[in-house]
PDB file of all heavy atoms in Angstrom:
ATOM      1  N   GLY A   5       8.962  -3.877   2.477  1.00 93.00           N
ATOM      2  CA  GLY A   5       9.434  -3.890   1.096  1.00 93.00           C
ATOM      3  C   GLY A   5       9.001  -5.126   0.345  1.00 93.00           C
ATOM      4  O   GLY A   5       8.702  -5.079  -0.857  1.00 93.00           O
ATOM      5  N   LEU A   6       8.938  -6.249   1.049  1.00 92.00           N
ATOM      6  CA  LEU A   6       8.554  -7.504   0.418  1.00 92.00           C
ATOM      7  C   LEU A   6       7.066  -7.555   0.098  1.00 92.00           C
ATOM      8  O   LEU A   6       6.667  -8.050  -0.964  1.00 92.00           O
ATOM      9  CB  LEU A   6       8.928  -8.670   1.335  1.00 92.00           C
ATOM     10  CG  LEU A   6       8.574 -10.077   0.845  1.00 92.00           C
ATOM     11  CD1 LEU A   6       9.396 -10.434  -0.382  1.00 92.00           C
ATOM     12  CD2 LEU A   6       8.796 -11.096   1.969  1.00 92.00           C
ATOM     13  N   THR A   7       6.237  -7.044   1.004  1.00 93.00           N
ATOM     14  CA  THR A   7       4.791  -7.243   0.860  1.00 93.00           C
ATOM     15  C   THR A   7       4.024  -6.019   0.367  1.00 93.00           C
ATOM     16  O   THR A   7       2.910  -6.166  -0.148  1.00 93.00           O
ATOM     17  CB  THR A   7       4.184  -7.670   2.207  1.00 93.00           C
ATOM     18  OG1 THR A   7       4.367  -6.612   3.170  1.00 93.00           O
ATOM     19  CG2 THR A   7       4.828  -8.945   2.713  1.00 93.00           C
ATOM     20  N   GLN A   8       4.592  -4.815   0.502  1.00 94.00           N
ATOM     21  CA  GLN A   8       3.811  -3.617   0.204  1.00 94.00           C
ATOM     22  C   GLN A   8       4.434  -2.715  -0.862  1.00 94.00           C
ATOM     23  O   GLN A   8       3.998  -1.575  -1.040  1.00 94.00           O
ATOM     24  CB  GLN A   8       3.597  -2.796   1.493  1.00 94.00           C
ATOM     25  CG  GLN A   8       2.907  -3.551   2.603  1.00 94.00           C
ATOM     26  CD  GLN A   8       1.565  -4.119   2.180  1.00 94.00           C
ATOM     27  OE1 GLN A   8       0.815  -3.470   1.456  1.00 94.00           O
ATOM     28  NE2 GLN A   8       1.266  -5.331   2.625  1.00 94.00           N
ATOM     29  N   ALA A   9       5.434  -3.200  -1.557  1.00 94.00           N
ATOM     30  CA  ALA A   9       6.024  -2.402  -2.639  1.00 94.00           C
ATOM     31  C   ALA A   9       5.027  -2.247  -3.789  1.00 94.00           C
ATOM     32  O   ALA A   9       4.185  -3.122  -4.034  1.00 94.00           O
ATOM     33  CB  ALA A   9       7.306  -3.068  -3.137  1.00 94.00           C
ATOM     34  N   GLU A  10       5.118  -1.139  -4.496  1.00 94.00           N
ATOM     35  CA  GLU A  10       4.232  -0.895  -5.636  1.00 94.00           C
ATOM     36  C   GLU A  10       4.539  -1.871  -6.772  1.00 94.00           C
ATOM     37  O   GLU A  10       5.702  -2.114  -7.097  1.00 94.00           O
ATOM     38  CB  GLU A  10       4.399   0.540  -6.139  1.00 94.00           C
ATOM     39  CG  GLU A  10       4.026   1.605  -5.117  1.00 94.00           C
ATOM     40  CD  GLU A  10       2.561   1.576  -4.759  1.00 94.00           C
ATOM     41  OE1 GLU A  10       1.732   1.252  -5.641  1.00 94.00           O
ATOM     42  OE2 GLU A  10       2.226   1.872  -3.593  1.00 94.00           O
ATOM     43  N   ALA A  11       3.502  -2.426  -7.360  1.00 92.00           N
ATOM     44  CA  ALA A  11       3.694  -3.337  -8.489  1.00 92.00           C
ATOM     45  C   ALA A  11       4.125  -2.595  -9.749  1.00 92.00           C
ATOM     46  O   ALA A  11       4.871  -3.130 -10.571  1.00 92.00           O
ATOM     47  CB  ALA A  11       2.404  -4.111  -8.747  1.00 92.00           C
ATOM     48  N   ASP A  12       3.669  -1.366  -9.901  1.00 92.00           N
ATOM     49  CA  ASP A  12       3.970  -0.553 -11.078  1.00 92.00           C
ATOM     50  C   ASP A  12       5.191   0.324 -10.795  1.00 92.00           C
ATOM     51  O   ASP A  12       5.137   1.212  -9.939  1.00 92.00           O
ATOM     52  CB  ASP A  12       2.773   0.323 -11.426  1.00 92.00           C
ATOM     53  CG  ASP A  12       3.003   1.164 -12.676  1.00 92.00           C
ATOM     54  OD1 ASP A  12       4.114   1.112 -13.241  1.00 92.00           O
ATOM     55  OD2 ASP A  12       2.063   1.883 -13.063  1.00 92.00           O
ATOM     56  N   PRO A  13       6.317   0.117 -11.490  1.00 88.00           N
ATOM     57  CA  PRO A  13       7.515   0.920 -11.215  1.00 88.00           C
ATOM     58  C   PRO A  13       7.331   2.397 -11.558  1.00 88.00           C
ATOM     59  O   PRO A  13       8.109   3.236 -11.097  1.00 88.00           O
ATOM     60  CB  PRO A  13       8.592   0.276 -12.100  1.00 88.00           C
ATOM     61  CG  PRO A  13       7.829  -0.394 -13.192  1.00 88.00           C
ATOM     62  CD  PRO A  13       6.557  -0.868 -12.562  1.00 88.00           C
ATOM     63  N   ASP A  14       6.308   2.742 -12.346  1.00 93.00           N
ATOM     64  CA  ASP A  14       6.069   4.132 -12.736  1.00 93.00           C
ATOM     65  C   ASP A  14       4.937   4.781 -11.956  1.00 93.00           C
ATOM     66  O   ASP A  14       4.384   5.809 -12.372  1.00 93.00           O
ATOM     67  CB  ASP A  14       5.749   4.191 -14.235  1.00 93.00           C
ATOM     68  CG  ASP A  14       6.922   3.766 -15.097  1.00 93.00           C
ATOM     69  OD1 ASP A  14       8.072   4.056 -14.698  1.00 93.00           O
ATOM     70  OD2 ASP A  14       6.700   3.128 -16.134  1.00 93.00           O
ATOM     71  N   THR A  15       4.581   4.209 -10.818  1.00 93.00           N
ATOM     72  CA  THR A  15       3.514   4.786  -9.999  1.00 93.00           C
ATOM     73  C   THR A  15       3.847   6.225  -9.635  1.00 93.00           C
ATOM     74  O   THR A  15       4.955   6.529  -9.174  1.00 93.00           O
ATOM     75  CB  THR A  15       3.332   3.966  -8.706  1.00 93.00           C
ATOM     76  OG1 THR A  15       2.961   2.641  -9.062  1.00 93.00           O
ATOM     77  CG2 THR A  15       2.273   4.571  -7.818  1.00 93.00           C
ATOM     78  N   LEU A  16       2.885   7.122  -9.829  1.00 93.00           N
ATOM     79  CA  LEU A  16       3.114   8.541  -9.537  1.00 93.00           C
ATOM     80  C   LEU A  16       3.108   8.798  -8.038  1.00 93.00           C
ATOM     81  O   LEU A  16       3.993   9.469  -7.502  1.00 93.00           O
ATOM     82  CB  LEU A  16       2.045   9.396 -10.226  1.00 93.00           C
ATOM     83  CG  LEU A  16       2.205  10.917 -10.088  1.00 93.00           C
ATOM     84  CD1 LEU A  16       3.547  11.366 -10.673  1.00 93.00           C
ATOM     85  CD2 LEU A  16       1.048  11.628 -10.786  1.00 93.00           C
ATOM     86  N   PHE A  17       2.118   8.243  -7.337  1.00 93.00           N
ATOM     87  CA  PHE A  17       2.042   8.381  -5.880  1.00 93.00           C
ATOM     88  C   PHE A  17       1.892   6.976  -5.288  1.00 93.00           C
ATOM     89  O   PHE A  17       0.932   6.276  -5.600  1.00 93.00           O
ATOM     90  CB  PHE A  17       0.847   9.240  -5.454  1.00 93.00           C
ATOM     91  CG  PHE A  17       0.937  10.658  -5.913  1.00 93.00           C
ATOM     92  CD1 PHE A  17       0.140  11.109  -6.950  1.00 93.00           C
ATOM     93  CD2 PHE A  17       1.826  11.546  -5.321  1.00 93.00           C
ATOM     94  CE1 PHE A  17       0.218  12.421  -7.389  1.00 93.00           C
ATOM     95  CE2 PHE A  17       1.909  12.852  -5.751  1.00 93.00           C
ATOM     96  CZ  PHE A  17       1.107  13.297  -6.786  1.00 93.00           C
ATOM     97  N   ALA A  18       2.844   6.611  -4.441  1.00 90.00           N
ATOM     98  CA  ALA A  18       2.792   5.283  -3.820  1.00 90.00           C
ATOM     99  C   ALA A  18       1.593   5.207  -2.880  1.00 90.00           C
ATOM    100  O   ALA A  18       1.463   6.022  -1.968  1.00 90.00           O
ATOM    101  CB  ALA A  18       4.084   5.010  -3.062  1.00 90.00           C
ATOM    102  N   GLY A  19       0.721   4.251  -3.097  1.00 94.00           N
ATOM    103  CA  GLY A  19      -0.483   4.165  -2.283  1.00 94.00           C
ATOM    104  C   GLY A  19      -0.759   2.808  -1.691  1.00 94.00           C
ATOM    105  O   GLY A  19      -1.644   2.662  -0.845  1.00 94.00           O
ATOM    106  N   ARG A  20      -0.010   1.795  -2.113  1.00 95.00           N
ATOM    107  CA  ARG A  20      -0.322   0.447  -1.651  1.00 95.00           C
ATOM    108  C   ARG A  20      -0.141   0.314  -0.136  1.00 95.00           C
ATOM    109  O   ARG A  20      -1.013  -0.213   0.566  1.00 95.00           O
ATOM    110  CB  ARG A  20       0.557  -0.569  -2.372  1.00 95.00           C
ATOM    111  CG  ARG A  20       0.245  -2.006  -1.993  1.00 95.00           C
ATOM    112  CD  ARG A  20       1.066  -2.999  -2.785  1.00 95.00           C
ATOM    113  NE  ARG A  20       0.721  -4.365  -2.415  1.00 95.00           N
ATOM    114  CZ  ARG A  20       1.313  -5.443  -2.903  1.00 95.00           C
ATOM    115  NH1 ARG A  20       2.269  -5.318  -3.806  1.00 95.00           N
ATOM    116  NH2 ARG A  20       0.942  -6.648  -2.507  1.00 95.00           N
ATOM    117  N   VAL A  21       0.964   0.810   0.381  1.00 95.00           N
ATOM    118  CA  VAL A  21       1.210   0.666   1.811  1.00 95.00           C
ATOM    119  C   VAL A  21       0.257   1.544   2.613  1.00 95.00           C
ATOM    120  O   VAL A  21      -0.163   1.187   3.722  1.00 95.00           O
ATOM    121  CB  VAL A  21       2.686   0.963   2.156  1.00 95.00           C
ATOM    122  CG1 VAL A  21       3.001   2.456   2.059  1.00 95.00           C
ATOM    123  CG2 VAL A  21       3.025   0.432   3.555  1.00 95.00           C
ATOM    124  N   ALA A  22      -0.120   2.700   2.046  1.00 95.00           N
ATOM    125  CA  ALA A  22      -1.090   3.553   2.737  1.00 95.00           C
ATOM    126  C   ALA A  22      -2.426   2.826   2.875  1.00 95.00           C
ATOM    127  O   ALA A  22      -3.073   2.865   3.936  1.00 95.00           O
ATOM    128  CB  ALA A  22      -1.274   4.860   1.976  1.00 95.00           C
ATOM    129  N   SER A  23      -2.833   2.161   1.813  1.00 96.00           N
ATOM    130  CA  SER A  23      -4.070   1.399   1.858  1.00 96.00           C
ATOM    131  C   SER A  23      -3.981   0.285   2.894  1.00 96.00           C
ATOM    132  O   SER A  23      -4.944   0.019   3.631  1.00 96.00           O
ATOM    133  CB  SER A  23      -4.363   0.813   0.473  1.00 96.00           C
ATOM    134  OG  SER A  23      -5.493  -0.024   0.504  1.00 96.00           O
ATOM    135  N   TYR A  24      -2.819  -0.346   2.971  1.00 95.00           N
ATOM    136  CA  TYR A  24      -2.612  -1.434   3.931  1.00 95.00           C
ATOM    137  C   TYR A  24      -2.725  -0.921   5.369  1.00 95.00           C
ATOM    138  O   TYR A  24      -3.370  -1.552   6.219  1.00 95.00           O
ATOM    139  CB  TYR A  24      -1.244  -2.051   3.691  1.00 95.00           C
ATOM    140  CG  TYR A  24      -0.848  -3.135   4.659  1.00 95.00           C
ATOM    141  CD1 TYR A  24      -1.437  -4.392   4.592  1.00 95.00           C
ATOM    142  CD2 TYR A  24       0.127  -2.905   5.626  1.00 95.00           C
ATOM    143  CE1 TYR A  24      -1.064  -5.396   5.481  1.00 95.00           C
ATOM    144  CE2 TYR A  24       0.508  -3.902   6.513  1.00 95.00           C
ATOM    145  CZ  TYR A  24      -0.097  -5.138   6.433  1.00 95.00           C
ATOM    146  OH  TYR A  24       0.273  -6.132   7.315  1.00 95.00           O
ATOM    147  N   GLU A  25      -2.100   0.221   5.643  1.00 96.00           N
ATOM    148  CA  GLU A  25      -2.156   0.779   6.993  1.00 96.00           C
ATOM    149  C   GLU A  25      -3.592   1.123   7.386  1.00 96.00           C
ATOM    150  O   GLU A  25      -4.036   0.847   8.509  1.00 96.00           O
ATOM    151  CB  GLU A  25      -1.273   2.032   7.076  1.00 96.00           C
ATOM    152  CG  GLU A  25       0.211   1.744   7.042  1.00 96.00           C
ATOM    153  CD  GLU A  25       0.702   1.073   8.303  1.00 96.00           C
ATOM    154  OE1 GLU A  25       0.621   1.691   9.381  1.00 96.00           O
ATOM    155  OE2 GLU A  25       1.161  -0.085   8.223  1.00 96.00           O
ATOM    156  N   ARG A  26      -4.324   1.727   6.474  1.00 96.00           N
ATOM    157  CA  ARG A  26      -5.719   2.072   6.761  1.00 96.00           C
ATOM    158  C   ARG A  26      -6.566   0.813   6.965  1.00 96.00           C
ATOM    159  O   ARG A  26      -7.422   0.768   7.861  1.00 96.00           O
ATOM    160  CB  ARG A  26      -6.295   2.933   5.638  1.00 96.00           C
ATOM    161  CG  ARG A  26      -5.721   4.342   5.620  1.00 96.00           C
ATOM    162  CD  ARG A  26      -6.305   5.203   4.504  1.00 96.00           C
ATOM    163  NE  ARG A  26      -5.734   6.533   4.538  1.00 96.00           N
ATOM    164  CZ  ARG A  26      -6.210   7.537   5.287  1.00 96.00           C
ATOM    165  NH1 ARG A  26      -7.273   7.338   6.048  1.00 96.00           N
ATOM    166  NH2 ARG A  26      -5.632   8.708   5.278  1.00 96.00           N
ATOM    167  N   TYR A  27      -6.284  -0.186   6.168  1.00 96.00           N
ATOM    168  CA  TYR A  27      -7.022  -1.448   6.307  1.00 96.00           C
ATOM    169  C   TYR A  27      -6.800  -2.060   7.685  1.00 96.00           C
ATOM    170  O   TYR A  27      -7.747  -2.556   8.318  1.00 96.00           O
ATOM    171  CB  TYR A  27      -6.580  -2.425   5.212  1.00 96.00           C
ATOM    172  CG  TYR A  27      -6.993  -3.848   5.471  1.00 96.00           C
ATOM    173  CD1 TYR A  27      -8.316  -4.256   5.287  1.00 96.00           C
ATOM    174  CD2 TYR A  27      -6.063  -4.801   5.912  1.00 96.00           C
ATOM    175  CE1 TYR A  27      -8.698  -5.567   5.538  1.00 96.00           C
ATOM    176  CE2 TYR A  27      -6.442  -6.104   6.161  1.00 96.00           C
ATOM    177  CZ  TYR A  27      -7.755  -6.485   5.975  1.00 96.00           C
ATOM    178  OH  TYR A  27      -8.142  -7.777   6.233  1.00 96.00           O
ATOM    179  N   GLN A  28      -5.562  -2.042   8.160  1.00 95.00           N
ATOM    180  CA  GLN A  28      -5.274  -2.641   9.455  1.00 95.00           C
ATOM    181  C   GLN A  28      -5.991  -1.908  10.586  1.00 95.00           C
ATOM    182  O   GLN A  28      -6.467  -2.529  11.547  1.00 95.00           O
ATOM    183  CB  GLN A  28      -3.764  -2.669   9.703  1.00 95.00           C
ATOM    184  CG  GLN A  28      -3.002  -3.627   8.811  1.00 95.00           C
ATOM    185  CD  GLN A  28      -3.368  -5.073   9.037  1.00 95.00           C
ATOM    186  OE1 GLN A  28      -3.805  -5.454  10.113  1.00 95.00           O
ATOM    187  NE2 GLN A  28      -3.182  -5.904   8.018  1.00 95.00           N
ATOM    188  N   GLY A  29      -6.057  -0.576  10.496  1.00 96.00           N
ATOM    189  CA  GLY A  29      -6.809   0.178  11.495  1.00 96.00           C
ATOM    190  C   GLY A  29      -8.290  -0.142  11.457  1.00 96.00           C
ATOM    191  O   GLY A  29      -8.933  -0.368  12.500  1.00 96.00           O
ATOM    192  N   GLU A  30      -8.841  -0.168  10.252  1.00 96.00           N
ATOM    193  CA  GLU A  30     -10.259  -0.501  10.085  1.00 96.00           C
ATOM    194  C   GLU A  30     -10.548  -1.913  10.603  1.00 96.00           C
ATOM    195  O   GLU A  30     -11.582  -2.166  11.235  1.00 96.00           O
ATOM    196  CB  GLU A  30     -10.646  -0.408   8.608  1.00 96.00           C
ATOM    197  CG  GLU A  30     -10.608   0.993   8.024  1.00 96.00           C
ATOM    198  CD  GLU A  30     -11.888   1.764   8.297  1.00 96.00           C
ATOM    199  OE1 GLU A  30     -12.807   1.170   8.909  1.00 96.00           O
ATOM    200  OE2 GLU A  30     -11.954   2.938   7.920  1.00 96.00           O
ATOM    201  N   LYS A  31      -9.664  -2.824  10.319  1.00 96.00           N
ATOM    202  CA  LYS A  31      -9.862  -4.226  10.686  1.00 96.00           C
ATOM    203  C   LYS A  31      -9.999  -4.386  12.201  1.00 96.00           C
ATOM    204  O   LYS A  31     -10.873  -5.132  12.681  1.00 96.00           O
ATOM    205  CB  LYS A  31      -8.690  -5.052  10.162  1.00 96.00           C
ATOM    206  CG  LYS A  31      -8.773  -6.538  10.454  1.00 96.00           C
ATOM    207  CD  LYS A  31      -7.547  -7.246   9.873  1.00 96.00           C
ATOM    208  CE  LYS A  31      -7.530  -8.722  10.215  1.00 96.00           C
ATOM    209  NZ  LYS A  31      -6.298  -9.379   9.688  1.00 96.00           N
TER     210      LYS A  31
END
């Protein structure tokens, strides 16, 4: 919640944490 919450309160589909998870796998 602290690091991966959406910056935009009106985001239609939350994607920040999904991007983070994919990045960690790729890394």
Side-chain angles (χ1 to χ4, degrees):
L6 179 67
T7 63
Q8 302 304 321
E10 298 295 327
D12 182 357
D14 295 325
T15 299
L16 184 59
F17 296 106
R20 183 176 181 183
V21 73
S23 175
Y24 176 73
E25 288 290 297
R26 289 180 180 274
Y27 165 75
Q28 291 296 334
E30 293 276 358
K31 181 180 176 182

